[in-house]
Amino acid sequence: DGAQIVVAAGSRVLVYDATDGDLVHSLKGHKDSVFCVAYSKHGKRFASGSADKNVIIWTHVAEGVLKYNHSDSIQCLDYNPVTQQLASGTAVDLGLWSPEQKSVAKHRVNSKILCMSWTADGLHLALGLFNGHVSIRDKFGSEKAEVVRSAPIWCLQWTPMPPKTDPMDVLVVGCWDQTLSSYKVSGQESGKEQKLDFDPCSISFFSNGEYFVLGGSNKKVQLMSRDMIYLGDVGEKEDWVWSVAVRPRHNNIVCGCNDGTVTMYQIVFSTVHGLYQDRYAYREVMTDVIIQHLVTEQKVRIR
């Protein structure tokens, strides 16, 4: 529910209160640097992955309940939003753990996994690899599609809620060829590629799927539309922004910076509208205008 902020800092996992920023827990379960953390969608568990090659699963009250290991450092984690299956990525393999099984299913990969994201229905998992490939897999770990880019894929995320006009899952990919691109589950490109002037490091969508925030080497947190249109800067830091996360069902954004600072921002989306005779116009998703006839209730969208 967004009540806690979980931070990987050194060899510890820090848990903060999202309302007032107070430190609630400082967890010492790992023996080396913690590279990644992930919260389950039902809010009862979170996980941490470390250079000590271990994944620890914690309860929401910070009790370590399970540990499993890989043969290499844990680079990224993500919980399946439907089944609570946990995916973990290293330089050599993909791990899939679920509450129903006592062992971890592991699948070899040919390049380091830098990032991962489940679709909203929990049926597909996308992996971003150091060799520039995006591997789209089913929930059992079998590859179903592949996208080839020219540089490491440092961040990616599926839209959390496909629009009614096009109920297809869309994957937004941040590549270190300084581009943003989007793809369907089939691996087919969706929409126009956007050129950046920096290396993108982290992507996080708002719960409604209309916007996402982007952090990277330009030291900024930027607001983007789901169509990858730049809308504005949320904040600017002193160093690279390596991690961004949107608070579920809120307009709060947390960013983790290379200088060790953790900052929370709040975004206010103001209503812009106008009335002329029997026609009412209002802004939608920041970049569109909807004109509605008040008598017939017919609507026209201007992009």
Side-chain angles (χ1 to χ4, degrees):
D1 61 358
Q4 296 178 331
I5 302 169
V6 182
V7 177
S11 62
R12 297 195 181 192
V13 177
L14 306 178
V15 182
Y16 293 91
D17 187 302
T19 303
D20 54 23
D22 287 347
L23 179 64
V24 182
H25 302 288
S26 177
L27 308 176
K28 304 178 183 179
H30 290 287
K31 298 177 181 178
D32 206 336
S33 298
V34 182
F35 289 156
C36 49
V37 290
Y39 226 113
S40 65
K41 299 302 182 287
H42 64 21
K44 295 180 180 179
R45 290 182 175 182
F46 63 89
S48 56
S50 167
D52 66 8
K53 307 177 184 179
N54 289 317
V55 174
I56 299 178
I57 296 176
W58 312 81
T59 67
H60 68 287
V61 292
E63 296 175 346
V65 292
L66 188 143
K67 179 189 288 187
Y68 70 83
N69 69 313
H70 283 261
S71 60
D72 209 318
S73 301
I74 316 300
Q75 301 294 324
C76 50
L77 298 165
D78 199 34
Y79 269 101
N80 186 308
V82 178
T83 67
Q84 307 312 315
Q85 186 180 26
L86 178 64
S88 49
T90 76
V92 295
D93 61 7
L94 163 69
L96 294 172
W97 172 88
S98 65
E100 296 79 22
Q101 65 188 38
K102 294 183 179 179
S103 61
V104 181
K106 294 179 180 176
H107 305 266
R108 298 287 297 180
V109 292
N110 57 14
S111 182
K112 180 187 289 188
I113 304 173
L114 299 177
C115 51
M116 55 175 53
S117 176
W118 289 97
T119 53
D121 59 11
L123 297 179
H124 292 90
L125 174 68
L127 309 177
L129 306 180
F130 185 80
N131 65 359
H133 292 202
V134 177
S135 175
I136 300 174
R137 303 186 175 224
D138 63 20
K139 63 181 180 180
F140 305 108
S142 298
E143 187 171 81
K144 297 301 180 182
E146 186 178 48
V147 174
V148 179
R149 303 287 306 179
S150 60
I153 308 297
W154 215 270
C155 54
L156 48 71
Q157 191 171 26
W158 294 99
T159 50
M161 189 180 298
K164 295 178 181 178
T165 54
D166 184 14
M168 294 285 291
D169 290 302
V170 174
L171 179 69
V172 176
V173 175
C175 179
W176 275 22
D177 61 3
Q178 300 196 339
T179 61
L180 280 179
S181 52
S182 60
Y183 302 90
K184 298 178 181 179
V185 172
S186 63
Q188 178 185 355
E189 194 163 8
S190 171
K192 184 180 178 181
E193 177 183 295
Q194 298 295 321
K195 185 66 179 174
L196 307 171
D197 58 357
F198 62 94
D199 293 324
C201 297
S202 184
I203 293 170
S204 181
F205 267 93
F206 285 79
S207 298
N208 62 7
E210 298 293 352
Y211 313 101
F212 65 90
V213 286
L214 177 67
S217 65
N218 62 344
K219 308 176 184 178
K220 296 179 180 180
V221 179
Q222 295 185 331
L223 180 66
M224 313 286 288
S225 74
R226 66 175 296 120
D227 297 322
M228 303 183 300
I229 297 172
Y230 167 74
L231 300 176
D233 294 340
V234 176
E236 186 166 0
K237 304 298 292 179
E238 296 295 322
D239 209 334
W240 285 37
V241 176
W242 278 105
S243 179
V244 291
V246 175
R247 187 179 182 185
R249 295 178 294 282
H250 291 76
N251 290 335
N252 299 107
I253 300 161
V254 177
C255 80
C257 186
N258 193 57
D259 61 12
T261 58
V262 178
T263 308
M264 178 180 279
Y265 299 98
Q266 182 173 16
I267 294 181
V268 177
F269 295 99
S270 58
T271 302
V272 177
H273 58 116
L275 182 66
Y276 177 74
Q277 295 180 358
D278 55 2
R279 287 171 173 80
Y280 173 62
Y282 59 95
R283 181 177 67 181
E284 188 171 81
V285 298
M286 300 293 281
T287 57
D288 295 0
V289 175
I290 308 294
I291 301 175
Q292 180 178 354
H293 194 287
L294 296 177
V295 178
T296 64
E297 295 190 350
Q298 287 184 313
K299 294 181 180 180
V300 174
R301 179 185 296 269
I302 302 173
R303 289 185 175 272

